[in-house]
Structures are given as structure tokens and as C-alpha cells.
Amino acid sequence: MERSIEPFSPEEVKECIARLGRQNFEFEIRFAKPGMSGKFKGVTIKGDAKVNGFWEFDGKREQINVIGISEKEYKWEGEWEEVARTNLSNPVATLELVCSIGEWKFKESAGESFIYEFKPNLLFMDPRLTETKGVIWIDAETKVPEKILAEAENIKWEFEIKSIGEEYEISNPSAKKKKIEVVASCKSLEVAQILKERFELYGFNRVEYKLKGNTITLLFLAQRGPESLIKTLLEPGNLELYKADYTSGSDESGHFVCGDPTKPVVLKEKLQQELVDISFESGFIELTFNKELPKGKSIAVVIDNEVIGFVPEVWGKEIKIEGDRESWIKIKFPLPCQLTILKGG
């Protein structure tokens, strides 16, 4: 990114904080008020987090060891207990809460950072607070926060961020080793490497493969009951585009958008555009092709003979459709041939 010459606007500061939730980084949180203090360290991977530390209440210390994955929290109490996720295992959510009032005022530049004063929300530490003050340091080049200090009378809360972009691993404590055996109808090494990338991109941990002829044994850590997801990740990922029209559901329709019977479509001429780029964010898949799509025409996006999107009018070389992570991964890393599942999946 190019270094910013001018300080960020208040709206841009909010975007910098939101951007942190999409990063990998290490963090440390320290806080203190009369009768209570604490210190937590950990890592986050795009929202998931592993946290270790302690609370001290009136001189008594309690060790904390929690993992937050998606909407679940796993807390160590002699064994791992699963509960709904709280801010204890979600440091980014806690930071967003502290910064929720805002009222950002640029203070100064210091080295590679812009420094802002703001009004922090510390009501979770004391609901009676009225006067608070805060300072945030934001890296002018990466546009993500580096340090946050929030204070009130007899209360102090600090958040420090480092090693942004490093690779970390957060394993689900309830995950078990799972094994799948498949036979590829083409070169098995290439297929095994693609499957490993697919499963790692989805978030499975410790993905390995073994080869014996055209048989691939895939091993990884998984929670209970991921069979439908795993089946999807083993599908070819063959992407096709067709000129198409919505229909009333007569016999000429054999396809429905995302399986919805209220959205029957008729597939017409197949297009020959080649996919050159794909991105996924906030539930949308954006596809970029090597040449212009038919202007003003309706296009159906088909993966493995299933219509996953319908665009009433297309212009240019790009299509944006609603989609899930599994479809994005299949399109991003398509398999060169079909698989036959022997065991697992």
C-alpha cells in the first residue's frame, strides 16, 4: 500500500479498526481497576482467536485458557467445555466495543504512525463511568491499529497488536482426526495437492495426504458431522457460463437457482469465457473473465451442473453473485478430474 500523506478521516479510522478483524496477528490486553486486574496474550486468525492469561480478583488469581472459533468458545476447565462465544475469546469484538463511541481527533504523527484521541467505551468495566479518554496509534502504511490506550478514573485498558500477517494455527479442541480415501481418474499427485489447498483454505487443520497409485488418503482434523461440507470440497468445481432466462417452470426448465423451486431457469448458449480471477468477501463471489461478456444479456453461473447464480444483465468482464465459501474454494481450485470416494466423506 502507498503511505498516506494526510491523516485518516474519522470514517477511515473506523475502517482501519474493522480491517483488523480480517488479519492474522498477535495481541496483548492489559487492564486494571480497583480490586481487579488482568493480562491476556494470544493470536487471532481472521476473527478466530486463542487466548491465555489471568484475572486477579482481590488478590486471587484465575488462569484463563480459551479458544474462539466462529460462534463457539472452548474454555479449559480440566477438560474443554463448549459454550456460545463471548468477548473473552474475541479480542477484536472487545476492541470494537471500546472504540464504539469514537469522536476521533487527530493528535500528531509519530514515526510511521498516526495518533488519534477518542472517547472510549469502558462501561463494561464500570457502568457508572462518564468521563473517559483514549489514544489509538494506527500504522500509516498498513492502515491497521498498533496500540490502543483507554483510561478513566482508577481504570486503565490497553490493547497492543504485533506480528500482523504472520502464519498461526488455531485448532478446534473438539476436532478429531478424520481420514478419507478417494480414487482419482487422473494424475493423483496434482489432485492431492489441490485437495490439501482446498481443505486448508476452508480452515481444516493439519491436512496431510498419502498416495498409493491413484488412491489418495486425506487426513485432517475435523469437528463432528462435517460430511456434507467434505463432500462439497471433493467435487470437481467445473465452472460454466450460459446465456439464460427465468421461466415459469414449464417442462423446458430443468434447473433452479441454488435449488430454489421458485427460481427456474432455462440454460441456452454456453459461453467460452475463461476465468482469470476470483475473490470472495461478505457472502459474494466476484468472477473476472478474459474477455467481455455479452452486453445486457442474462447469464447463469453453473458449477458442477448446479446453477449457483443468475445475473439479469451483464456488462464488461466481471460478474458478482451471492455465494458461499465452499463454492468459491471449488472454483478457485478446480480439480482436473472426477473422484470416487472409497471411505469417509
Side-chain angles (χ1 to χ4, degrees):
M1 296 181 183
E2 294 183 3
R3 177 177 170 79
S4 296
I5 299 173
E6 297 294 329
F8 306 128
S9 68
E11 197 61 36
E12 288 173 324
V13 172
K14 290 165 60 178
E15 291 173 5
C16 291
I17 295 169
R19 186 176 292 112
L20 191 63
R22 302 190 289 272
Q23 309 295 320
N24 297 358
F25 60 90
E26 295 180 43
F27 66 89
E28 183 171 321
I29 298 174
R30 299 175 292 274
F31 56 90
K33 71 175 187 177
M36 185 182 78
S37 64
K39 181 179 179 180
F40 300 142
K41 290 183 177 181
V43 298
T44 77
I45 303 176
K46 297 179 181 177
D48 294 343
K50 179 165 58 177
V51 184
N52 294 286
F54 65 87
W55 306 88
E56 281 193 356
F57 300 91
D58 296 324
K60 296 180 180 179
R61 177 174 290 202
E62 177 189 352
Q63 291 297 134
I64 300 295
N65 184 4
V66 295
I67 295 173
I69 298 177
S70 188
E71 303 301 319
K72 298 293 185 181
E73 181 173 291
Y74 304 89
K75 186 174 182 180
W76 180 253
E77 298 284 1
E79 61 181 28
W80 289 105
E81 296 183 358
E82 180 183 313
V83 296
R85 194 169 182 184
T86 69
N87 280 5
L88 183 61
S89 65
N90 196 339
V92 173
T94 304
L95 175 61
E96 290 175 338
L97 175 62
V98 171
C99 296
S100 59
I101 298 175
E103 299 182 10
W104 311 102
K105 294 180 181 178
F106 176 70
K107 182 180 180 184
E108 60 183 333
S109 296
E112 300 295 316
S113 303
F114 292 142
I115 303 175
Y116 293 79
E117 296 176 333
F118 72 104
K119 182 176 176 60
N121 178 1
L122 293 174
L123 295 177
F124 66 97
M125 295 193 71
D126 187 341
R128 300 166 296 178
L129 288 176
T130 56
E131 297 296 324
T132 60
K133 59 181 181 179
V135 182
I136 185 169
W137 288 255
I138 300 177
D139 188 295
E141 183 175 353
T142 63
K143 300 182 181 179
V144 291
E146 301 173 297
K147 183 179 178 181
I148 298 90
L149 173 62
E151 296 179 291
E153 186 177 0
N154 297 321
I155 291 178
K156 188 174 185 179
W157 186 89
E158 297 176 86
F159 191 116
E160 191 168 351
I161 299 142
K162 53 187 177 182
S163 302
I164 289 179
E166 295 293 325
E167 292 294 325
Y168 305 105
E169 180 179 313
I170 299 175
S171 297
N172 191 318
S174 68
K176 305 295 182 184
K177 198 73 173 180
K178 191 169 182 67
K179 181 171 74 173
I180 294 173
E181 288 186 9
V182 296
V183 175
S185 60
C186 61
K187 192 174 180 180
S188 57
L189 176 58
E190 181 184 358
V191 173
Q193 291 170 336
I194 291 172
L195 289 176
K196 186 175 189 295
E197 287 183 289
R198 281 186 174 187
F199 278 68
E200 288 178 338
L201 192 58
Y202 194 87
F204 289 103
N205 296 115
R206 302 177 191 175
V207 183
E208 306 169 3
Y209 63 80
K210 297 177 183 178
L211 301 176
K212 187 176 180 180
N214 277 11
T215 300
I216 304 166
T217 301
L218 202 65
L219 303 105
F220 53 92
L221 288 178
Q223 284 182 277
R224 297 179 296 274
E227 284 77 12
S228 60
L229 165 62
I230 291 171
K231 183 177 180 297
T232 300
L233 294 178
L234 294 174
E235 292 170 352
N238 181 37
L239 172 68
E240 297 174 306
L241 296 183
Y242 290 87
K243 290 182 181 178
D245 285 317
Y246 275 125
T247 176
S248 61
S250 63
D251 291 340
E252 61 180 345
S253 170
H255 300 275
F256 302 90
V257 180
C258 297
D260 186 344
T262 67
K263 296 179 180 179
V265 292
V266 176
L267 303 184
K268 297 183 175 180
E269 177 189 349
K270 183 178 177 180
L271 304 179
Q272 300 303 318
Q273 273 78 358
E274 179 183 340
L275 182 68
V276 294
D277 192 28
I278 178 172
S279 61
F280 177 76
E281 188 171 355
S282 303
F284 286 91
I285 300 173
E286 188 169 294
L287 306 163
T288 303
F289 297 91
N290 64 330
K291 56 185 179 181
E292 299 279 328
L293 297 159
K295 291 182 180 179
K297 297 296 183 180
S298 300
I299 299 294
V301 181
V302 179
I303 305 180
D304 298 336
N305 299 315
E306 179 186 353
V307 179
I308 67 161
F310 182 87
V311 184
E313 285 186 302
V314 293
W315 303 92
K317 299 179 181 180
E318 295 180 346
I319 289 178
K320 191 172 185 179
I321 60 171
E322 291 187 32
D324 55 31
R325 198 174 174 191
E326 299 98 294
S327 295
W328 166 63
I329 291 172
K330 282 202 298 179
I331 302 170
K332 185 176 179 65
F333 294 112
L335 293 173
C337 60
Q338 292 279 347
L339 299 179
T340 302
I341 300 174
L342 298 179
K343 296 179 182 178

